[in-house]
Amino acid sequence: MSNNFKINDGKAIGSMFLVVAFFWLISYMFPVVVDDAVVVAATANYDDWIEEYQVAATSLAAIVFLSAIGWYGIARWYFQVEYPIAIDRRHWWLACFALPIFSYVLILFLWDSQIKEGQSSIYVSLGMLAVMGFYFATVFFSPPAYKYTPWGSEFFRGSKKLKMAVTR
Amino acid sequence: MSYYCISVGGTGAKAIESLIHLCASGLMPSNEELYILSVDPDTGNGNLTRSSVAINKYIAFQHLMVGNTDLFKTKIVPAVPFTWSPTDKSQNLDTIFSYAHMKHTPAAKLYEVLYTKQERTTLLDEGFRGHPSIGAAVMTEKIKLDEQEWGQEEHGIAEPWNFFLSRVAKDNQAKIFLTGSIFGGTGASGIPTIANLLRQKLKSNCKSGNVQIGGGLVLPFFSFTRDESVDNHDLFATSEAFLTNTQAALKYYHFKNSFEDIYNTIYIIGDENMTPVNKFSVGASEQENDSHIIELYTAFAAADFYASQSEAATKQYMYTARNDVNKIQWSDLPNPMAKQKLGQFTRFIFIYLHLFKPLISRIKEDPAMRYQAPWFIDYFSDINLNDHKIENAINAFDEYAISFVRWICHIQGIGKGNCNGRLCELFHPQIISNIAPPMFEPAFFPDMIMTEGSNKVSVNDIWNRLSAYEVKDPYAQGFGRFLRALYDCCE
């Protein structure tokens, strides 16, 4: 392939990592920065709780990142356009999106958080990581051939809108 | 500076079709305009119709703003009317020379000696029936380039010559290329006659070097057997006479050009294989033959003539031939850029018809699916596909693209298995699975340009490239910008 048309996959994947890391950092640091947002039950130790929470946030971030690069990988190397039919791949993107959402829901169900107050803010913090981490990573850095497949990406990457596509 | 091409007869018309495709693919030497005039008494002949359709489609979309690129870089200006016929309807030689009025005169007696009764009375609506002696007389009688005639519309004869001459006269460097067959009726009679008349008329311009005349003479390359249903008393061309006609014509050209220097450059193009024409036809719409590789060579001859610098001080005899008698390869084409430019253009046309044209139609019907085709959002957001002007330009381009595919198929011999008895190794023979409507085999896209080496581009590669590509040329706008992007991505 001519150098004029090289797609910089490393840069795109690195950028995805940074987006996920950004939301992970917000989520990870949230209870530390806003220290009165969460009050744990009297039976629980706050430091242990923080540790458990940060493990959950980091695991979720890893799943988000893996889902995002999974989407990138199949969109970049697995999908092939050869005929003017069956080119819709949004269901694949939704399937990849479902993975962090499902993991998030799983964390909510399985994790006995022992929070007395501020439970919803923790749920929002993790939810933001799962949803926004994947969404913005894929909206901005999906491979060019599927750059408008994520919902709303036309707004961010369309010709007249904010341009953050990594192409070379 | 402008280029001028005068096609004479059916073979000339077919060469024009090839020349249009070279113009579209950027194989003309510079961005100068190409003025095209066709000369044919058989204005309804199928070959001519096909060329004029290709020209009209090209004209309909050549205003598309593709920016500074080789794509469609040559602007084509057709003569008005595009085809000049030396004969009016239902005329024969007798009516043209007013034989009835000059009967029993010495001139009439000479005329009777020179032409048989059959030659004199046959209607010339369908051409000169392979008889250049008829054509030469008619052409000389009918082409009026004298000052007193110039500018006067006499029974429609003055145009398009009037416009043509006034345009050439104003041109500081006009290159006029005449092309046609040397062995039939119209081309054999028309090319020397018209070239001679032009040289006389433009004597001072030619001397000063402002006008150069080139000739692309096509030697016999097809044969046919006469249809039994054709009346034996009819006058028609016979392929048996082609070689004799050719021999006489070549002697004439040698003699004439040795003494009068009518042509600055002459290209003689021939083929040792005589392609059999399946359907015999005296003329008219039935005379529509498949395009032939020799016409591509003729178009390259025209491009070479236009590219050539001022007249050489000494006479030069250039020679080109194929490397392998059983094959036609890219290296056989007499233009080193042919493979790159014609290859890129063909890839562009094929993928447009195969993938992008159907998707544009579908998205036009159902705009909700536009996110599936990122190039559509990038390039069509500002285009109103329901606007009649845009719709017409797109339709014209679509029809041109289809005609280009048919032309490539004929040149390549797709559908026949070979190219007039030899292998044609320009494009992969299996890339096209159906000619009309054109259908392609995407699996062969990477190998479509034969013996290409490492530059293999699949349909998916072009999709990916186009999705990432941005045309930075500010002169590329609208649908033209999309075509430019697609063309660039097909390199």
Side-chain angles (χ1 to χ4, degrees):
Chain A
M1 190 182 278
S2 163
N3 283 337
N4 291 340
F5 303 105
K6 277 233 166 95
I7 294 171
N8 194 333
D9 298 310
K11 199 169 166 184
I13 292 169
S15 304
M16 280 181 155
F17 176 81
L18 290 178
V19 171
V20 176
F22 172 74
F23 287 103
W24 166 78
L25 198 64
I26 292 174
S27 189
Y28 187 88
M29 298 303 289
F30 173 73
V32 179
V33 175
V34 192
D35 58 354
D36 57 348
V38 177
V39 178
V40 295
T43 51
N45 179 295
Y46 185 77
D47 290 339
D48 290 347
W49 178 86
I50 284 279
E51 198 176 313
E52 268 182 41
Y53 168 79
Q54 288 178 336
V55 167
T58 307
S59 308
L60 189 58
I63 290 166
V64 168
F65 179 63
L66 287 175
S67 304
I69 59 166
W71 158 250
Y72 188 93
I74 53 173
R76 177 82 176 87
W77 293 289
Y78 176 69
F79 297 151
Q80 297 281 317
V81 177
E82 295 221 310
Y83 292 94
I85 47 167
I87 55 166
D88 187 9
R89 309 293 186 192
R90 189 164 270 173
H91 50 283
W92 282 86
W93 178 76
L94 286 170
C96 292
F97 203 172
L99 201 61
I101 304 274
F102 178 72
S103 307
Y104 167 65
V105 173
L106 208 63
I107 287 170
L108 298 192
F109 272 99
L110 298 182
W111 181 38
D112 179 14
S113 63
Q114 297 179 302
I115 298 172
K116 199 172 144 196
E117 277 176 38
Q119 197 165 22
S120 57
S121 64
I122 288 302
Y123 290 171
V124 168
S125 166
L126 289 175
M128 202 172 71
L129 168 62
V131 175
M132 294 176 90
F134 180 87
Y135 181 74
F136 284 112
T138 54
V139 155
F140 286 119
F141 303 105
S142 286
Y146 299 94
K147 61 186 172 187
Y148 300 127
T149 300
W151 272 321
S153 53
E154 193 180 330
F155 175 77
F156 296 103
R157 289 179 74 173
S159 52
K160 287 180 180 170
K161 308 291 180 188
L162 185 64
K163 286 195 173 177
M164 285 184 70
V166 175
T167 53
R168 57 181 76 166
Chain B
M1 179 176 166
S2 285
Y3 306 136
Y4 301 83
C5 186
I6 301 175
S7 77
V8 190
T11 304
K14 288 170 74 195
I16 287 288
E17 189 188 8
S18 293
L19 189 60
I20 300 292
H21 298 316
L22 293 196
C23 288
S25 52
L27 278 159
M28 286 290 272
S30 65
N31 297 359
E32 310 300 338
E33 280 186 349
L34 173 66
Y35 178 89
I36 301 180
L37 162 64
S38 159
V39 173
D40 205 323
D42 183 8
T43 50
N45 97 55
N47 295 326
L48 188 59
T49 308
R50 216 168 61 200
S51 294
S52 57
V53 165
I55 290 176
N56 288 333
K57 296 302 167 199
Y58 187 96
I59 288 164
F61 68 80
Q62 71 177 352
H63 64 275
L64 288 172
M65 295 179 70
V66 291
N68 187 18
T69 171
D70 283 341
L71 182 66
F72 316 139
K73 78 172 178 186
T74 305
K75 193 181 171 215
I76 291 177
V77 182
V80 181
F82 172 62
T83 306
W84 177 78
S85 170
T87 58
D88 290 338
K89 219 168 183 204
S90 305
Q91 278 194 316
N92 58 27
L93 210 53
D94 280 351
T95 53
I96 289 169
F97 285 99
S98 308
Y99 174 66
H101 298 292
M102 65 169 185
K103 257 184 183 172
H104 310 302
T105 62
K109 286 190 172 126
L110 175 65
Y111 172 70
E112 284 163 14
V113 169
L114 291 173
Y115 297 98
T116 65
K117 191 166 186 199
Q118 196 186 21
E119 286 176 325
R120 289 177 355 227
T121 53
T122 298
L123 289 180
L124 302 175
D125 292 354
E126 294 180 352
F128 301 127
R129 319 276 185 125
H131 286 64
S133 54
I134 303 176
V138 174
M139 295 273 189
T140 314
E141 173 67 13
K142 289 290 184 177
I143 301 177
K144 303 288 187 188
L145 301 181
D146 298 334
E147 286 296 343
Q148 64 266 30
E149 299 287 349
W150 200 5
Q152 292 173 19
E153 284 250 2
E154 188 195 327
H155 308 298
I157 289 172
E159 287 296 357
W161 295 106
N162 180 30
F163 180 75
F164 172 76
L165 284 172
S166 60
R167 207 186 142 109
V168 170
K170 283 180 215 153
D171 206 325
N172 62 353
Q173 208 186 341
K175 292 195 159 190
I176 306 168
F177 188 80
L178 292 104
T179 183
S181 73
I182 202 172
F183 56 90
T186 309
S189 58
I191 295 178
T193 312
I194 295 169
N196 205 6
L197 289 170
L198 286 176
R199 179 62 78 173
Q200 284 171 22
K201 175 71 199 164
L202 302 164
K203 201 180 271 176
S204 59
N205 306 60
C206 290
K207 262 192 177 168
S208 64
N210 288 350
V211 172
Q212 288 186 51
I213 299 176
L217 311 175
V218 181
L219 304 180
F221 64 96
F222 65 85
S223 62
F224 53 83
T225 45
R226 189 171 58 84
D227 192 337
E228 293 304 321
S229 63
V230 174
D231 190 343
N232 270 335
H233 298 290
D234 273 357
L235 201 62
F236 47 80
T238 58
S239 55
E240 291 78 16
F242 283 170
L243 287 177
T244 332
N245 288 354
T246 303
Q247 189 184 22
L250 286 174
K251 275 185 181 168
Y252 169 83
Y253 277 99
H254 177 69
F255 173 79
K256 198 82 179 158
N257 222 43
S258 300
F259 295 99
E260 296 180 29
D261 264 343
I262 292 173
Y263 297 93
N264 295 78
T265 314
I266 294 179
Y267 298 83
I268 297 171
I269 305 121
D271 187 355
E272 76 278 15
N273 290 5
M274 294 282 183
T275 306
V277 173
N278 296 332
K279 199 176 174 191
F280 174 81
S281 161
V282 174
S285 60
E286 286 187 355
Q287 195 192 337
E288 186 183 350
N289 312 114
D290 289 356
S291 300
H292 192 284
I293 190 88
I294 207 165
E295 293 145 21
L296 178 61
Y297 270 84
T298 310
F300 275 123
D304 183 75
F305 170 69
Y306 296 135
S308 61
Q309 297 303 309
S310 56
E311 210 175 342
T314 53
K315 281 195 175 167
Q316 293 179 45
Y317 294 89
M318 314 285 268
Y319 179 79
T320 183
R322 284 177 289 122
N323 294 311
D324 185 336
V325 74
N326 298 315
K327 285 179 185 174
I328 294 172
Q329 298 164 306
W330 286 108
S331 56
D332 296 328
L333 297 183
N335 185 322
M337 297 303 287
K339 184 177 173 183
Q340 187 209 316
K341 289 191 176 175
L342 200 55
Q344 182 176 356
F345 185 73
T346 306
R347 194 183 268 152
F348 158 72
I349 292 288
F350 282 15
I351 200 160
Y352 172 79
L353 288 175
H354 169 69
L355 191 63
F356 294 95
K357 177 179 175 290
L359 278 173
I360 293 167
S361 304
R362 278 178 58 199
I363 299 172
K364 190 179 164 188
E365 296 295 314
D366 178 15
M369 63 172 285
R370 53 192 245 141
Y371 71 87
Q372 298 172 25
W375 46 268
F376 191 90
I377 291 171
D378 292 342
Y379 291 100
F380 286 81
S381 295
D382 296 334
I383 303 174
N384 177 7
L385 289 173
N386 294 315
D387 181 294
H388 281 302
K389 261 188 173 176
I390 294 167
E391 218 173 16
N392 289 344
I394 294 177
N395 288 342
F397 177 72
D398 291 354
E399 286 169 34
Y400 168 80
I402 290 167
S403 75
F404 178 82
V405 173
R406 193 196 50 221
W407 175 77
I408 281 285
C409 288
H410 290 170
I411 294 287
Q412 171 88 20
I414 289 174
K416 288 191 289 185
N418 63 57
C419 175
N420 313 311
R422 67 218 135 191
L423 280 176
C424 189
E425 294 188 345
L426 301 178
F427 298 101
H428 198 292
Q430 285 168 287
I431 182 79
I432 298 172
S433 52
N434 193 49
I435 300 174
M439 289 168 81
F440 304 89
E441 280 299 331
F444 294 105
F445 257 85
D447 299 309
M448 69 170 280
I449 300 166
M450 293 188 75
T451 61
E452 188 172 41
S454 60
N455 190 19
K456 295 190 172 195
V457 186
S458 68
V459 173
N460 191 58
D461 288 337
I462 293 173
W463 179 276
N464 282 332
R465 286 176 174 193
L466 187 65
S467 305
Y469 189 65
E470 191 183 347
V471 178
K472 297 212 167 81
D473 188 338
Y475 297 105
Q477 297 286 329
F479 184 64
R481 186 165 165 265
F482 165 73
L483 292 181
R484 166 68 182 282
L486 183 58
Y487 175 75
D488 288 354
C489 292
C490 289
E491 78 171 40

